[in-house]
Amino acid sequence: MLPHHVTVGPPDAPALVLIHGFPFSLEQWRPQLDGLEDAWRVVAYDLRGHGRSATGPGPLFIEDLVDDLVELLDHLGLESACLGGLSMGGYIALRAVDREPSRIHGLVLADTKAGADDNAGRVKRAQAAKTVRAKGMSAFADGLLPALFPKERLDPPTSAVREVRAMIEATSPEGAALALGAMASRLDLRERLADIRVPTLVVVGEDDTLTPPAEAEALVAGIPDATLVRLDGAGHVSNLEAPDAFTAALRAFLERMHPRT
Ligand code: MLT
């Protein structure tokens, strides 16, 4: 399914395609779309059942989401792109570079990890899917926000907290439930990291407790050409909590990959 997407920047500039986390939308990438559009072609899109993309039939697998990404690259005429993903977006990006290496020439992995859910994690996903279908997104946001942000940023809510809540509440409950199933059945890609052949930037918020800095360090240790950027004052949604530092890290990485003469 072709996802809803936005594109900014010069059409002939090297492309960066950004995949949002769960259960957000492409709006998550607004600071990076605004901050990079002077020099880079930046594409952000809504995953199935999120933002303005249709939900589609279930069950949903990460493979379907990689299919959607490939369809988007084809639609945009991009033989290859630099691909970035945060959290669930990173799970998709990691599988995409594993399955479709010719379509990706650079990778950004933010607040994510290569391992799969353990049994307890899968049970939690199934329970969360039931809750989201029964109670809706607002109640789901109440439960999720404390895992995404340190306590002191929730009350009063920072602008990042408010933006994340708005994105969660705009997601369809069925879209979120299907995405939970896709995450629960994702592959363990830790053994595949050594085969990633593209320059990779790993970014993590210092205060991320869902995918903590140790997970980012494991990615950097496993991927042959990877560099780590740790962001102070940011939790799991690091691109919104430290938007300028996140964008600067992306810009430096893109400039390294595509040096201007
Ligand atoms: C995300 O931000 O995409 C999710 O927290 C990832 C997850 O639940 O594993």
Side-chain angles (χ1 to χ4, degrees):
M1 279 169 50
L2 181 67
H4 171 72
H5 56 279
V6 298
T7 306
V8 299
D12 53 349
L16 169 69
V17 177
L18 294 170
I19 316 176
H20 63 78
F22 168 82
F24 311 148
S25 73
L26 66 79
E27 289 306 320
Q28 175 184 355
W29 296 114
R30 195 54 64 189
Q32 286 69 45
L33 289 162
D34 292 346
L36 295 170
E37 68 177 342
D38 60 322
W40 308 97
R41 183 180 182 194
V42 189
V43 180
Y45 70 98
D46 289 329
L47 294 169
R48 284 191 199 192
H50 295 70
R52 290 206 258 158
S53 287
T55 299
L60 181 67
F61 298 94
I62 296 290
E63 298 309 303
D64 300 312
L65 298 170
V66 174
D67 291 345
D68 291 349
L69 169 67
V70 171
E71 193 172 333
L72 177 61
L73 294 176
D74 290 345
H75 173 79
L76 295 169
L78 290 171
E79 258 171 51
S80 105
C82 178
L83 185 64
L86 185 138
S87 199
M88 181 184 181
Y91 306 158
I92 298 163
L94 276 165
R95 178 56 185 147
V97 77
D98 189 43
R99 196 186 98 179
E100 309 284 344
S102 68
R103 306 302 300 266
I104 295 153
H105 61 252
L107 193 59
V108 180
L109 299 170
D111 301 279
T112 194
K113 60 184 173 190
D117 287 1
D118 60 13
N119 285 352
R122 289 185 174 134
V123 171
K124 265 193 176 164
R125 301 271 195 209
Q127 285 164 345
K130 261 194 208 163
T131 307
V132 82
R133 284 187 172 112
K135 299 196 175 149
M137 295 311 291
S138 196
F140 191 65
D142 292 342
L144 185 58
L145 288 171
L148 301 179
F149 295 96
K151 204 158 75 195
E152 67 277 7
R153 295 187 208 142
L154 292 171
D155 189 17
T158 61
S159 60
V161 172
R162 290 198 303 273
E163 284 162 33
V164 166
R165 176 179 278 283
M167 287 189 289
I168 296 174
E169 289 182 347
T171 301
S172 93
E174 189 56 21
L178 292 178
L180 284 160
M183 287 193 284
S185 66
R186 75 185 188 278
L187 301 178
D188 183 340
L189 294 171
R190 286 175 297 180
E191 296 292 316
R192 307 288 305 142
L193 295 179
D195 286 319
I196 295 179
R197 294 280 168 250
V198 295
T200 301
L201 170 68
V202 178
V203 185
V204 69
E206 286 287 2
D207 305 328
D208 186 347
T209 51
L210 266 183
T211 46
E215 293 286 359
E217 279 163 11
L219 288 170
V220 172
I223 299 172
D225 178 5
T227 47
L228 177 62
V229 171
R230 301 169 72 124
L231 298 179
D232 281 331
H236 186 61
V237 196
S238 63
N239 79 301
L240 282 180
E241 287 204 282
D244 295 345
F246 193 107
T247 304
L250 275 183
R251 184 182 286 278
F253 179 65
L254 290 167
E255 280 169 0
R256 186 193 135 200
M257 277 202 314
H258 304 282
R260 308 277 156 129
T261 45

